[in-house]
Amino acid sequence: MKVLKALPGKHWLSEYDGSDSYDWKEAEHYFSWATTGKVNMAYEAIDRHAEGERANKKALIYFDGTTEQTFTYADMKRLTNKAANVLKDAGIQAGDRIFIFMPRSPELYFALLGALKVGAIVGPLFEAFMEQAVRDRLLDSEAKMLITTKALLPRVPVDELTSLEQIFLVDEEIKTNEKISDFRVAFEQASDVFEPVWLDREDGLILHYTSGSTGKPKGVLHVQNAMIQHMMTGRWVLDLQEEDVYWCTADPGWVTGTSYGIFAPFLNGATNVVVGGRFNPDFWYSVIEKYKVTVWYSAPTAFRMLMGAGAEIANTHDLSSLRHVLSVGEPLNPEVIRWGKEAFDQRIHDTWWMTETGAMMICNYKSMDIKPGSMGKPIPGTQAAIVDDQGNELPPFRMGNLALKTPWPSMMRQIWNNPQKYDSYFFKGWYVSGDSAYMDDEGYFWFQGRVDDVIMTAGERVGPFEVESRLVEHPAVAEAGVIGKPDPVRGEIIKAFISLRDGYEPTEELKQEIQKFVKEGLAAHAAPREIDFRDKLPKTRSGKIMRRVLKAWELNLEAGDLSTMED
Ligand code: WTA
């Protein structure tokens, strides 16, 4: 196989035949470690371009419907240097964990890249997180610093976070606590010259907390080396080329918003559009029209909501700039692909990967035929298979565990503080994903579902255990079991089955109160949209709630083997 450079009018993988023979070493000459042995993501993503031909090229365009701000690569270099100086002066050293908890704004990107310049490991937090979600993550990672806003500060349990030395507020000065200081003042005064802290390839980069079916969210650590795959998938799959205007709709609180909202586009020197504010069909279309977006990476839930909003809205906008549209996060319905062709004359390309994989793994590229409903084929240099529970590869059309041959450049390197958990993902040379799928006779992979109980709601991954734990903190709740219930727009919605403590009545009012309680504790997207009160929940003899039985109740299915269920 030969992976070509993009020739004018061609895409990067014009001759890719789906084989796995790419040698990742071929990509190494792009990065500074090829010459110095050291590397820094922020240097590779920003400074390298600012010091070369892309200095005056637009790097970041921020728009939230009212405010618009544009920064060239040279601007980005200066502004991220300033942020880096602020953090260095505050005592941050390589390997320290800095968390960033704020809505999308240019400052978020300066702070995040500035933190990478000083060699910190960045923990991005989704702005919707509430106190408990923030506490869990900052405690587990022993974060030293938090960068946030005045509005989000009340969700930070400052006194309980013993490792946390400093909180920077990016928007307002308030001095309710000696740990709090004003980022703006320090930023104004900071020098815009900074030498990146040079790191090893295996040094930490980013820590994304994500949910499994049991336990608290786990910290998935990625290292600098992941940039090889960020950059190459930016070419092969996003097909980023010099003139492209690229928009990834994901928030940096999730892995898509960092790997493909920051790293892949900037490593490739693209013009990256960042949109603040809420989803709104008319607004989203107007972004494509206004900036002549050419490459667009979004999620099935968003596409389904756009589809639901109707063709008339799409038709009032000129979407002809689009030349490549991609999707991630949940199964992409063939129906949505058909709609995409009608609404903006593009076939939506599905991509499959996970927080743990760090970058795209199984994708539809421009050079291959899309089979609607399939996630595509493994990217060059990787190998995927369907394996049984013993780790044996299964033949085509047999359903089993979707597994990836280890290692690949952006593979997670640690579950923070939990080596045992980390090891549990790997088996006989495979990383076992937790998804079930099959492969067809042409090597295309077809997603079937999760093996575990993890819920994907509107593209966001929610662990049922986390929601159950919050539910039982409510004084009325005796026990709770949480499942994902199929939903035409959101993929799944969260449904809770609850048994009440004595003295509480199952009223509509109580339902709403409980929903609010989860919202305020975790995040709005983690709150159950539906609640059923039951006298008793199905449990194993050892007392574990059987979500499988709850699911069968909900879907009117056979519950399967009930031998472990208590009487
Ligand atoms: C699901 C998001 C079907 C899957 C980048 C996976 C998908 C989980 C697809 C990871 C797809 C992701 N088709 N399902 N194209 N892409 N998933 O960690 O269940 O938030 O295991 O990463 O999303 O979710 P995560």
Side-chain angles (χ1 to χ4, degrees):
M1 181 206 70
K2 192 137 179 58
V3 177
L4 298 179
K5 279 200 177 318
L7 300 169
K10 292 253 174 142
H11 39 77
W12 291 94
L13 280 176
S14 349
E15 286 189 8
Y16 182 59
D17 57 8
S19 69
D20 59 5
S21 56
Y22 182 73
D23 183 351
W24 291 103
K25 285 204 175 66
E26 284 179 37
E28 292 189 3
H29 66 276
Y30 293 115
F31 305 104
S32 47
W33 70 58
T35 43
T36 65
K38 294 282 178 179
V39 77
N40 184 301
M41 171 66 95
Y43 172 83
E44 311 296 330
I46 302 297
D47 298 11
R48 192 162 54 95
H49 309 300
E51 290 161 10
E53 285 173 4
R54 296 191 178 111
N56 297 317
K57 179 175 177 175
K58 286 178 189 169
L60 178 76
I61 300 174
Y62 174 80
F63 183 56
D64 59 17
T66 44
T67 323
E68 177 188 43
Q69 286 174 278
T70 301
F71 305 92
T72 63
Y73 275 96
D75 295 333
M76 289 299 286
K77 179 179 174 188
R78 279 187 295 100
L79 293 162
T80 56
N81 280 351
K82 273 174 161 291
N85 276 314
V86 172
L87 302 175
K88 188 176 162 218
D89 291 347
I92 290 294
Q93 296 186 339
D96 288 343
R97 273 78 62 210
I98 299 184
F99 274 67
I100 299 182
F101 181 36
M102 55 199 275
R104 267 166 275 174
S105 70
E107 287 70 29
L108 190 164
Y109 294 78
F110 307 154
L112 195 149
L113 289 157
L116 294 179
K117 277 195 173 169
V118 296
I121 297 172
V122 173
L125 295 178
F126 187 47
E127 63 173 296
F129 283 152
M130 302 303 276
E131 182 170 323
Q132 190 168 321
V134 174
R135 180 195 293 113
D136 286 348
R137 288 157 175 81
L138 293 181
L139 278 180
D140 183 67
S141 62
E142 294 174 276
K144 196 162 162 185
M145 182 182 286
L146 176 68
I147 305 173
T148 186
T149 63
K150 184 184 176 225
L152 297 180
L153 187 62
R155 304 187 201 160
V156 183
V158 182
D159 296 331
E160 297 172 48
L161 303 171
T162 43
S163 306
L164 193 67
E165 291 173 9
Q166 197 167 2
I167 299 175
F168 273 120
L169 293 182
V170 292
D171 53 353
E172 201 160 339
E173 188 184 10
I174 45 165
K175 201 90 195 118
T176 49
N177 188 301
E178 64 196 17
K179 287 184 179 174
I180 299 173
S181 27
D182 188 329
F183 192 77
R184 288 171 315 168
V185 174
F187 189 80
E188 279 299 311
Q189 292 166 356
S191 157
D192 62 8
V193 179
F194 187 83
E195 171 75 12
V197 173
W198 294 107
L199 303 167
D200 291 326
R201 289 164 67 162
E202 290 296 316
D203 283 341
L205 172 72
I206 200 148
L207 189 59
H208 276 290
Y209 278 79
T210 191
S211 304
S213 55
T214 57
K216 296 228 181 233
K218 299 161 211 353
V220 173
L221 180 73
H222 289 293
V223 299
Q224 300 282 325
N225 195 66
M227 70 178 73
I228 303 179
Q229 199 165 333
H230 294 148
M231 173 140 159
M232 298 316 285
T233 51
R235 297 182 173 193
W236 297 337
V237 187
L238 298 176
D239 193 39
L240 290 172
Q241 312 215 9
E242 201 56 49
E243 297 73 33
D244 277 318
V245 177
Y246 168 74
W247 178 26
C248 167
T249 61
D251 187 272
W254 313 112
V255 72
T256 310
T258 54
S259 292
Y260 294 97
I262 301 177
F263 304 143
F266 288 146
L267 285 167
N268 283 294
T271 295
N272 192 18
V273 176
V274 168
V275 172
R278 290 185 165 272
F279 172 85
N280 170 299
D282 197 52
F283 174 48
W284 273 33
Y285 288 133
S286 74
V287 169
I288 294 171
E289 184 169 25
K290 183 170 161 67
Y291 297 107
K292 301 198 167 33
V293 172
T294 55
V295 180
W296 187 29
Y297 195 20
S298 195
T301 297
F303 292 129
R304 286 191 295 260
M305 292 200 280
L306 291 173
M307 186 169 84
E312 300 83 68
I313 302 188
N315 293 341
T316 59
H317 296 277
D318 178 3
L319 307 176
S320 61
S321 58
L322 287 173
R323 70 165 190 90
H324 190 29
V325 182
L326 306 99
S327 170
V328 66
E330 313 151 63
L332 180 66
N333 328 63
E335 173 62 18
V336 176
I337 297 182
R338 274 193 291 278
W339 162 81
K341 190 84 185 102
E342 274 166 35
F344 38 78
D345 197 26
Q346 293 291 320
R347 301 199 82 176
I348 305 175
H349 291 63
D350 195 12
T351 65
W352 177 93
W353 56 290
M354 313 175 67
T355 306
E356 291 86 342
T357 70
M360 296 170 178
M361 298 301 297
I362 297 179
C363 304
N364 290 279
Y365 334 103
K366 290 212 107 187
S367 58
M368 66 196 234
D369 291 333
I370 293 179
K371 294 191 187 180
S374 162
M375 312 183 279
K377 294 182 183 185
I379 60 162
T382 66
Q383 201 186 322
I386 304 300
V387 300
D388 65 15
D389 291 343
Q390 282 72 50
N392 304 310
E393 274 184 64
L394 294 173
F397 298 110
R398 286 276 303 282
M399 204 164 115
N401 303 298
L402 176 56
L404 305 163
K405 191 49 85 24
T406 61
W408 59 91
S410 66
M411 185 174 94
M412 64 168 172
R413 296 298 201 270
Q414 271 183 46
I415 295 291
W416 196 260
N417 265 335
N418 199 341
Q420 229 175 339
K421 178 72 200 170
Y422 183 76
D423 291 343
S424 74
Y425 288 90
F426 301 97
F427 187 57
K428 291 192 176 166
W430 297 103
Y431 162 80
V432 184
S433 69
D435 285 358
S436 62
Y438 69 85
M439 188 184 75
D440 69 17
D441 49 0
E442 291 179 306
Y444 284 75
F445 284 80
W446 300 75
F447 178 84
Q448 299 296 297
R450 286 290 303 181
V451 176
D452 56 25
D453 300 326
V454 170
I455 301 167
M456 289 300 282
T457 177
E460 278 155 17
R461 184 165 155 185
V462 178
F465 177 80
E466 216 184 332
V467 182
E468 289 163 359
S469 306
R470 177 65 183 170
L471 284 167
V472 296
E473 282 173 15
H474 189 279
V477 177
E479 287 180 319
V482 165
I483 59 165
K485 172 180 171 180
D487 179 83
V489 173
R490 286 161 201 276
E492 288 181 312
I493 59 163
I494 299 174
K495 168 144 196 176
F497 291 85
I498 289 174
S499 67
L500 292 173
R501 287 176 190 271
D502 287 347
Y504 286 92
E505 289 303 318
T507 60
E508 193 52 40
E509 233 181 332
L510 181 60
K511 259 187 206 175
Q512 285 169 13
E513 189 191 309
I514 292 173
Q515 283 165 331
K516 186 156 163 265
F517 181 76
V518 179
K519 251 181 226 170
E520 286 172 356
L522 292 176
H525 66 266
R529 287 192 168 243
E530 285 184 20
I531 293 179
D532 259 17
F533 292 118
R534 298 284 169 124
D535 293 340
K536 237 181 142 193
L537 299 183
K539 278 186 292 184
T540 60
R541 294 200 183 99
S542 58
K544 216 166 159 271
I545 291 180
M546 298 176 82
R547 297 191 190 113
R548 170 166 67 82
V549 178
L550 297 176
K551 226 169 181 153
W553 282 357
E554 185 60 42
L555 304 174
N556 283 322
L557 297 172
E558 289 290 320
D561 178 13
L562 295 179
S563 57
T564 59
M565 191 153 112
E566 68 173 5
D567 300 332

